[in-house]
Amino acid sequence: MGIVRAFSRGGVSGLLLVWCLLASVGATCGQQPAGVQPAGVQPAGVQPAGVQIVDRETGRGIPLVELTTVDGVVWISDSGGWVAVNEPQLSGQTVYFGVRSAGYQVERDGFGMEGVRLQLGSGSRHRIELQRVQPARRLYRVTGRDLWLDTVRLGEESGIRAGVEQGQGQVVGQDSVQTAVYGGRMYWFWGDTSRLSYPLGLFRTAGAVSELPGSIAEARGTGINLRYFTGADGFARAMVDVPDATGVVWIQGVSVVRDAAGGERMVCSFSRRRGLEEPLQQGHMLWNDERELFEVLAEVGLEEDWRLLREHPVKRTFGGVEYLCFGRPFPVTRVPARLESLMDESAWEGWTCSAGEVDGEGRSKPSRRSDGQLDWGWRKAAPTTQQDEQRWLRSGLVKAEELCFLPLDAERPERRVLLHAGSVYFNAWRQRWVLIGNEQSWEAGSPSFLGEVFYSESDAAEGPYVRALKVATHPGQSFYNPCQHPEFDGGDGQQIFFEGTYTNMFTKSAATPRYNYNQLMYGLDLQDERLLGVFGERGVGGISAAGR
């Protein structure tokens, strides 16, 4: 009667609701619904149901899609977009799955619910199509174990040969990729690397090799067969030999230069440090072909903050001399691509419009030519940075239209995008220099702090980068240190590929099982209408590099 009294003011609708509740309880308590086994009973011969979530436009499986039942059971799609629902008690039942995937949407029903109802059966197969609402296509997870777990469980075809092995090198998490083509192979290096057997893993750089992507089509579309350098225990081994065992060792700027004899040598910079904040040692390293690891080439004083290889260098030729150009992420530091030049301080130059002028606090000021234009050029001085431009703009030393490294958000032109890291390469399709970088957002309303990925382009590698378009989002997660892979672009460059570190680091969000602290690969079609709407047709209406 208490229930009836509580709903007495609701009239007929209230009584109808009570009747439905009582009927439901009666059905639940009185008998087991037909075709449903009691909990804990494994029906003989029942096979898992397979659900593949695909991009409606391409038909390709989408990784990192969450399916959640009404009672909170969650499945996450693998690199093939497959989920194996191995719950025999659900066989023969209609099950509602909420669908959630950053950058993709499922059609809402009349109540605004984002999900689907599926009639599950033993071995049944189901397909859910999602509408991609971001330009970039999420393709596959590059590192970690169980890349194609559900695909293999369901007997579907996995994307790469190593897909059935998973866990090669006993790796379950890897931070921030560096790559180089050297000796006819593609080399891959990562920072801190996790293992299953203990919370502490490898902190002195892991590495692997793969075939050149030009000879294997799957590198562009379905995954990379990585062959890890491993130790006697089967776990990924250290790729750097730094005598002092104190601290972690991270590397950057992996690239190939020529030695005095004209031979190719693979080099990088290194930082030995006690965590994120305290550097202990830094310098450059040289790959030892026999030992298959990097050895210290030369130390550089800790006071040096720009004459070190950084990020992802690109080769450019000036006056007949080949240079390595790089930055974070703009290529505004250069050094001749010669082994001896790395150790010659006078060989390094920065792209800057500050000719040694400083303000009252000793900070750089922009210099101008006699015509009033900013005096940009390569000088034997530290390069101009985004932070310099921010400060100059606030101080009124430069105008907004003079900025090179603080592009306007194409979707929200009242704000500028501060990029955290990324890479810049010349693109044959666009006939421009294209940038992929992640934003460092301090705005309270941003979906993430380090998880928003932007595309920009310029006629010149040094900029200006006038506008930037968000191409991928990772709400509540980080996706930092994104790296383009121009080796995957193919002949025309219309499709570009990039990966980054997907993790809950620097957030308050929970870790995503299997995906956390691993590399995710994306593809981006440079003929996407959203890009064309911002940057125009290829080779037409290029962004002027005025004053260069």
Side-chain angles (χ1 to χ4, degrees):
M1 293 299 293
I3 295 178
V4 174
R5 283 197 299 271
F7 282 87
S8 60
R9 295 183 181 180
V12 175
S13 60
L15 290 174
L16 180 61
L17 177 59
V18 172
W19 181 87
C20 291
L21 288 171
L22 293 175
S24 173
V25 172
T28 302
C29 298
Q31 61 181 7
Q32 189 76 19
V36 178
Q37 294 287 335
V41 176
Q42 176 80 23
V46 173
Q47 299 298 316
V51 182
Q52 189 181 32
I53 306 95
V54 302
D55 186 319
R56 177 174 297 162
E57 178 185 346
T58 66
R60 180 192 178 87
I62 307 169
L64 193 57
V65 181
E66 292 185 6
L67 301 184
T68 307
T69 61
V70 173
D71 58 348
V73 180
V74 180
W75 288 265
I76 301 175
S77 63
D78 68 4
S79 287
W82 282 101
V83 163
V85 182
N86 193 22
E87 299 241 359
Q89 292 78 18
L90 299 182
S91 183
Q93 293 202 63
T94 298
V95 179
Y96 179 85
F97 293 94
V99 180
R100 186 167 70 98
S101 181
Y104 295 81
Q105 288 181 349
V106 67
E107 291 183 6
R108 295 173 181 262
D109 64 17
F111 293 98
M113 303 291 185
E114 296 184 354
V116 296
R117 295 185 351 139
L118 301 178
Q119 180 70 34
L120 301 182
S122 176
S124 62
R125 293 292 184 268
H126 309 270
R127 180 184 175 98
I128 301 174
E129 293 185 351
L130 302 187
Q131 181 66 43
R132 180 161 40 87
V133 294
Q134 65 181 24
R137 310 181 308 277
R138 192 157 56 249
L139 298 179
Y140 52 85
R141 180 159 52 92
V142 181
T143 60
R145 68 186 182 100
D146 299 332
L147 307 181
W148 300 82
L149 177 65
D150 291 78
T151 301
V152 174
R153 283 176 173 173
L154 293 167
E156 303 291 340
E157 184 176 353
S158 63
I160 55 176
R161 293 187 298 276
V164 296
E165 299 174 11
Q166 312 304 345
Q168 186 184 27
Q170 301 176 15
V171 167
V172 296
Q174 292 193 288
D175 191 9
S176 300
V177 71
Q178 289 275 318
T179 65
V181 175
Y182 177 66
R185 299 190 294 180
M186 191 162 179
Y187 282 75
W188 305 74
F189 301 100
W190 301 270
D192 300 344
T193 297
S194 304
R195 64 192 306 172
L196 276 179
S197 60
Y198 196 69
L200 298 180
L202 173 63
F203 299 99
R204 296 216 155 191
T205 305
V209 293
S210 71
E211 299 176 46
L212 292 178
S215 62
I216 48 171
E218 62 263 29
R220 296 183 64 191
T222 55
I224 303 158
N225 286 292
L226 296 169
R227 298 188 296 278
Y228 279 86
F229 295 98
T230 58
D233 61 354
F235 181 52
R237 65 170 174 84
M239 291 283 97
V240 295
D241 183 2
V242 179
D244 194 322
T246 306
V248 303
V249 177
W250 299 334
I251 66 173
Q252 287 194 67
V254 177
S255 47
V256 176
V257 299
R258 296 282 180 182
D259 61 19
E264 288 193 334
R265 307 300 299 272
M266 187 160 59
V267 295
C268 68
S269 69
F270 78 96
S271 174
R272 183 174 62 86
R273 49 199 313 122
R274 206 189 310 271
L276 286 172
E277 300 300 329
E278 185 183 356
L280 301 173
Q281 182 186 12
Q282 65 180 11
H284 288 105
M285 307 193 84
L286 178 65
W287 181 259
N288 185 315
D289 291 321
E290 294 183 358
R291 298 181 65 197
E292 293 188 313
L293 50 68
F294 284 107
E295 299 172 329
V296 175
L297 173 65
E299 289 192 40
V300 176
L302 292 177
E303 70 282 356
E304 181 60 74
D305 61 359
W306 70 278
R307 293 184 186 91
L308 284 163
L309 293 174
R310 302 285 192 190
E311 298 297 312
H312 309 282
V314 59
K315 287 184 176 179
R316 302 176 62 197
T317 300
F318 300 85
V321 177
E322 188 175 59
Y323 285 81
L324 295 177
C325 299
F326 50 90
R328 190 174 178 90
F330 307 97
V332 291
T333 302
R334 74 180 187 182
V335 64
R338 306 284 302 183
L339 185 62
E340 63 272 16
S341 296
L342 298 181
M343 297 169 284
D344 180 2
E345 286 190 4
S346 67
W348 295 72
E349 296 176 299
W351 178 257
T352 180
C353 63
S354 178
E357 295 187 39
V358 296
D359 60 20
E361 299 180 10
R363 298 177 301 185
S364 65
K365 291 174 56 179
S367 300
R368 296 185 180 273
R369 302 195 304 250
S370 58
D371 62 1
Q373 297 294 315
L374 291 173
D375 188 17
W376 287 99
W378 289 105
R379 298 186 174 92
K380 297 186 183 302
T384 295
T385 66
Q386 298 174 90
Q387 290 72 24
D388 290 330
E389 288 196 329
Q390 278 187 318
R391 179 166 47 82
W392 296 344
L393 183 63
R394 287 194 299 265
S395 302
L397 295 175
V398 297
K399 301 175 183 178
E401 59 268 24
E402 294 180 306
L403 298 174
C404 279
F405 310 128
L406 290 170
L408 292 170
D409 186 334
E411 296 175 322
R412 295 176 55 198
E414 74 280 2
R415 66 183 294 270
R416 294 189 178 273
V417 179
L418 178 65
L419 293 168
H420 169 257
S423 59
V424 175
Y425 291 98
F426 185 77
N427 180 262
W429 183 263
R430 295 294 300 169
Q431 287 295 301
R432 296 174 189 159
W433 293 86
V434 302
L435 175 149
I436 293 289
N438 71 303
E439 182 184 22
Q440 185 173 7
S441 176
W442 300 94
E443 296 180 12
S446 175
S448 66
F449 175 49
L450 293 172
E452 309 309 293
V453 183
F454 283 79
Y455 169 97
S456 187
E457 62 179 44
S458 176
D459 290 337
E462 304 88 0
Y465 293 87
V466 179
R467 294 179 294 278
L469 176 69
K470 185 187 294 190
V471 294
T473 181
H474 303 87
Q477 299 285 339
S478 293
F479 187 85
Y480 56 69
N481 295 340
C483 169
Q484 291 182 65
H485 293 302
E487 301 87 356
F488 293 5
D489 291 355
D492 60 13
Q494 180 181 337
Q495 308 288 333
I496 67 172
F497 299 82
F498 64 90
E499 67 175 281
T501 304
Y502 174 85
T503 175
N504 69 333
M505 289 183 66
F506 312 111
T507 78
K508 296 181 180 179
S509 302
T512 306
R514 293 189 174 87
Y515 282 88
N516 190 60
Y517 206 53
N518 272 302
Q519 303 299 302
L520 271 179
M521 185 73 76
Y522 281 86
L524 181 62
D525 185 347
L526 298 188
Q527 279 297 102
D528 186 286
E529 59 182 17
R530 287 160 286 198
L531 268 73
L532 297 182
V534 175
F535 300 101
E537 293 289 342
R538 58 178 177 145
V540 177
I543 300 170
S544 172
R548 295 296 183 264

